[in-house]
């Protein structure tokens, strides 16, 4: 038995991809304390941390006070679609809202 997230990370060469990146974006529907415990977000964030690359989480919702609690796991920041556009719009226009959020956040983190 192995972690599904770690198995997929190995198969897709996640470590090498992160080592070549300046910024990592990952996400899930609701970012909470369980997100960094065996789920994809935690696996990606720890790999980014191990390579010294900032890792940002984009989620439908983000639990309060979570970024501080997950910084040691490699999470540099977390943003919520519902904070950006509201819950109804986030559900109705998820792809557009996520694209808008990703562009906004990555622009804040871009290197000159």
């Amino acid at each position: 038995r192995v972690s599904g997230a770690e198995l997929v990370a190995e198969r897709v060469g996640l470590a090498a991809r992160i080592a070549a990146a300046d910024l990592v974006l990952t996400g899930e529907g609701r970012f909470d304390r369980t997100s960094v415990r065996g789920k994809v977000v935690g696996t990606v964030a720890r790999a980014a941390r191990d390579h010294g690359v900032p890792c940002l989480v984009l989620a439908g919702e983000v639990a309060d006070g979570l970024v501080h609690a997950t910084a040691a796991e490699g999470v540099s920041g977390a943003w919520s679609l519902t904070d950006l556009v509201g819950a109804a719009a986030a559900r109705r226009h998820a792809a557009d809202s996520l694209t808008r959020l990703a562009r906004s956040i990555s622009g804040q983190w871009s290197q000159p």
Side-chain angles (χ1 to χ4, degrees):
R1 293 175 97 174
V2 297
S3 159
E6 290 181 18
L7 178 64
V8 171
E10 180 184 319
R11 297 276 168 90
V12 300
L14 183 66
R17 290 172 186 251
I18 288 176
D22 296 320
L23 179 67
V24 173
L25 300 178
T26 188
E28 67 180 330
R30 178 169 168 75
F31 182 58
D32 59 28
R33 292 195 183 276
T34 68
S35 299
V36 294
R37 296 186 191 133
K39 292 185 177 181
V40 171
V41 169
T43 299
V44 171
R46 281 187 296 281
R49 175 199 64 201
D50 293 348
H51 286 89
V53 178
C55 179
L56 310 180
V57 176
L58 309 181
E61 295 179 319
V62 175
D64 290 336
L66 196 59
V67 175
H68 247 67
T70 57
E73 296 295 327
V75 176
S76 301
W79 286 265
S80 164
L81 286 180
T82 57
D83 288 348
L84 178 69
V85 299
R91 286 186 196 98
R92 265 194 316 271
H93 308 289
D96 290 337
S97 299
L98 186 57
T99 299
R100 183 173 150 201
L101 181 60
R103 283 188 180 136
S104 172
I105 300 307
S106 62
Q108 294 173 26
W109 284 80
S110 64
Q111 305 273 340

